[in-house]
């Protein structure tokens, strides 16, 4: 893609750390074999913010924090709380969303087998 080395490095670090917020989510939710309740989904929705709070303790790189914050936001999101969408999402967050969707589809999940 012709990205600058600093940009590639930032995306790589964000990709490695983007799920760190799951540390604060109870295992009963993370490992639940069925569909999450509304309350459980709201708890999961806090992962990116919790991850950013953890990472703020070791970096002031707002671009990296934005990638972590928005990596789960859909490009064409219709959720009211997702204020950033489309091309306004950081490129790294958009790239990670694509990789995350592919991984979710092609990996066995507790609630379904991987797709071919």
């Amino acid at each position: 893609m012709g990205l600058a080395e600093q940009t590639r490095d930032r995306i790589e670090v964000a990709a490695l750390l983007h799920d760190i917020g799951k540390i604060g989510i109870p295992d009963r939710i993370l490992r639940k074999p069925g569909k999450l309740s509304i309350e459980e989904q709201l708890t999961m929705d806090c992962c990116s913010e919790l991850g950013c709070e953890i990472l703020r303790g070791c970096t002031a790189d707002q671009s990296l924090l934005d990638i972590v914050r928005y990596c789960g936001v859909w490009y064409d999101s219709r959720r009211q709380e997702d204020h950033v969408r489309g091309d306004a999402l950081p490129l790294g967050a958009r790239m990670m969303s694509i990789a995350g969707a592919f991984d979710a589809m092609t990996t066995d999940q507790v609630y379904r087998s991987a797709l071919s």
Side-chain angles (χ1 to χ4, degrees):
M1 291 181 65
L3 298 175
E5 185 175 345
Q6 182 179 12
T7 301
R8 288 192 320 263
D9 290 346
R10 182 177 290 120
I11 293 169
E12 180 181 4
V13 170
L16 292 169
L17 298 173
H18 77 282
D19 273 344
I20 197 166
K22 287 184 180 177
I23 286 173
I25 306 298
D27 282 346
R28 66 176 173 74
I29 295 175
L30 291 174
R31 299 186 184 280
K32 185 174 179 179
K35 185 175 175 145
L36 298 179
S37 69
I38 293 172
E39 182 180 299
E40 291 166 336
Q41 186 57 55
L42 290 172
T43 300
M44 287 298 295
D45 288 348
C46 295
C47 284
S48 60
E49 281 301 322
L50 182 55
C52 284
E53 286 301 314
I54 292 168
L55 293 174
R56 277 189 192 98
C58 61
T59 185
D61 185 340
Q62 190 59 48
S63 296
L64 184 139
L65 295 171
D66 285 345
I67 294 170
V68 171
R69 165 68 182 99
Y70 296 115
C71 70
V73 176
W74 291 14
Y75 186 84
D76 63 348
S77 180
R78 293 183 185 97
R79 293 174 69 178
Q80 290 180 335
E81 63 271 10
D82 292 337
H83 300 288
V84 176
R85 61 180 58 93
D87 289 339
L89 288 166
L91 176 63
R94 289 183 270 157
M95 293 169 73
M96 288 175 48
S97 290
I98 294 166
F102 179 81
D103 180 60
M105 290 184 275
T106 59
T107 303
D108 285 334
Q109 305 293 328
V110 293
Y111 52 88
R112 66 150 177 80
S113 297
L115 302 172
S116 62

